[in-house]
Amino acid sequence: MAELVIRGATVVDGTGAPGRRADVAVRDGRITGIGRRLPGRSVLDATGLVLCPGFVDMHAHSDLALLTAPDHAAKVSQGVTCEVLGQDGLSYAPVDDGTLDQIRHAIAGWNGNPPDFDWSWRSVGEYLDRLDRGIAVNACYLVPQGSVRMLAMGWDRRPATGAELDRQRELVATALREGAVGMSSGLTYAPGMYADTAELAALCEVVAAHGGYYSPHQRSYGVGALEAYAEMIEVSLRSGCPLHLAHATMNFGVNQGRAGDFLALLDRAVAAGCDLTLDTYPYLPGSTTLVALLPSWASRGGPAAILRRLDDPTELALIRHDVERRGSDGCHGVPVDWQAVEISGSHSPDAIGRTVAELAEARGRRPFDVYRDLLVADGLSTTIIQHVGHEENVRAIMRHPAHTGGSDGLLAAAKPHPRAWGTFPRYLGHYVRELGVLGLEECVAHLTGRPARRLRLADRGLIRPGHHADLVLFDPATVADTATFADPCRPATGIPHVFVGGTRVIADGRPTGALPGRALRRTADGSTR
């Protein structure tokens, strides 16, 4: 007999098929039956609710949050049961002692940098083992190309030598053998951005040979965005590696109304044989670190070298020219609009929630001087929200059949982007119920079955007998994001129950504190388990 029967829900199974009313039985963490009036030791009345697979966050920045706060309320409260970590080419494995220290400082704005924390892992396998000690959701890991390049050749802004490329390929292969599901890049972040197309393709050949996929944050989402997407497609076709485009937006004023051009490029790529998917978040602004706006040349040498340049009047003048006039490659080729750059995380409390332009007016200084002062005072860890998106582009891209959901949520800032708490209920409430941009069953497939196929998750992502009971119950009439830009850390409404492996992590709308999740590893047969 089943341990639990979820009775009378509308079952939306993750395939895109129409929902149907049924009971779902669960035993030993797996779905054992789907039908009517199934028996069970415990029965949960789900009349009026939708039961679907747990949501898969294809672009998460919870690499430390899962370890420092493993109950992970930001994600379980919105129905996420699996996250993909190691994003944007920078994360904490593989590392050695020197690169770990540099990475901790380089991405402190993304994840924080807790001082009294056990950083004892060095390899991908050891990091995944640490996750296995107890987390609320399941997690997959992408080997970060920027971290790999840092290990092989530091922060040099030049092509890799043959020996350095061989070293990178071996590091990627080892990470994949230890369970990584693919490789990420951050091609507006140093040092990964210093790799050329040929270097990326050579690494992706290794990823393809191990059954993984490539997930790049490309070189531009502003000026030259289409050319940057085309380069990623070229890397995929040259290497034979499946491609998953990270936070696939068309941002900044230069790209308003150009989603059709982007989607046509994708369709041509698929017709040419590219195995392609993408993820987006259902918001307009983006979020990153203030240091990311620097030109790539100013980041060579790593954090200590950046801080030295910020104290050099000659170099500072060159940085200002690139940032404010020419448009730096760190800011996607677009001159920075200081009115669009809002501080979300800083050691200066008066800065949080205000734009650089507003701070400059209040302090009687030039915006660039405020920018420089914040970088120095925060040790490069300032986090920002950049108001650069276009609603028509967001809606058009989420309709594409290759689309999946990814929050890109940065959790460490004092006032983070609300997507960290609201992405998945916002899809269901705002874009399904209120606007009708996607149908309910279609949207659920985007957030569950489709990303599970990309990750090659074994027995997850669908409601089927034998599959793991990673499940979400939500009210289609009330599900909604409540996180706002003014108050961003508010949990969703209308999601009363969430299960990971049959264990409730949300019960009656509240976190239970249970930690049934674990690291899901790519295995020798190519599946992720």
Side-chain angles (χ1 to χ4, degrees), residues 406-428:
S407 70
D408 196 13
L410 304 179
L411 296 166
K415 192 178 180 185
H417 194 302
R419 65 194 185 191
W421 287 77
T423 288
F424 295 87
R426 184 167 176 81
Y427 270 117
L428 296 167

Side-chain angles (χ1 to χ4, degrees), residues 24-61:
V24 173
V26 176
R27 181 174 180 175
D28 296 330
R30 291 182 181 260
I31 298 166
T32 58
I34 305 170
R36 300 302 296 270
R37 307 306 301 175
L38 299 178
R41 292 190 181 93
S42 175
V43 175
L44 175 61
D45 184 2
T47 303
L49 301 178
V50 168
L51 180 67
C52 74
F55 304 131
V56 179
D57 189 340
M58 287 295 287
H59 193 102
H61 287 281

Side-chain angles (χ1 to χ4, degrees), residues 90-144:
L90 288 169
S91 190
Y92 307 99
V95 292
D96 59 19
D97 293 351
T99 58
L100 175 60
D101 183 67
Q102 292 176 334
I103 290 168
R104 285 175 58 182
H105 284 89
I107 57 175
W110 293 357
N111 301 321
N113 187 15
D116 300 320
F117 181 73
D118 178 5
W119 298 91
S120 56
W121 73 81
R122 293 294 180 269
S123 71
V124 168
E126 289 167 347
Y127 174 72
L128 297 180
D129 289 343
R130 178 68 65 84
L131 294 176
D132 280 342
R133 294 183 186 179
I135 52 179
V137 302
N138 298 311
C140 300
Y141 188 76
L142 297 166
V143 57

Side-chain angles (χ1 to χ4, degrees), residues 408-470:
D408 196 13
L410 304 179
L411 296 166
K415 192 178 180 185
H417 194 302
R419 65 194 185 191
W421 287 77
T423 288
F424 295 87
R426 184 167 176 81
Y427 270 117
L428 296 167
H430 185 59
Y431 285 98
V432 171
R433 183 181 64 246
E434 295 176 1
L435 298 181
V437 174
L438 296 170
L440 177 60
E441 290 86 353
E442 178 187 14
C443 184
V444 167
H446 284 218
L447 306 181
T448 62
R450 186 174 299 161
R453 286 197 303 275
R454 168 52 77 214
L455 294 168
R456 301 176 71 176
L457 297 180
D459 305 330
R460 298 181 193 270
L462 301 174
I463 296 182
R464 286 182 177 168
H467 276 50
H468 293 271
D470 299 341

Side-chain angles (χ1 to χ4, degrees), residues 197 218 220 224-238 243 245 262 265-266 268-269 274:
T197 306
Q218 62 187 54
S220 177
L226 292 178
E227 292 79 4
Y229 282 120
E231 181 194 13
M232 298 301 94
I233 291 166
E234 179 187 350
V235 167
S236 175
L237 292 173
R238 282 173 59 172
L243 177 64
L245 297 168
F262 167 54
L265 176 67
L266 298 188
R268 291 193 298 271
C274 186

Side-chain angles (χ1 to χ4, degrees), residues 8 28 128 140 148 152 177 183 259 263 269 278 300 344 412 455-456:
D28 296 330
L128 297 180
C140 300
V148 165
R177 287 193 293 265
M183 184 180 77
L263 298 177
L278 58 94
R300 68 182 186 275
S344 60
L455 294 168
R456 301 176 71 176

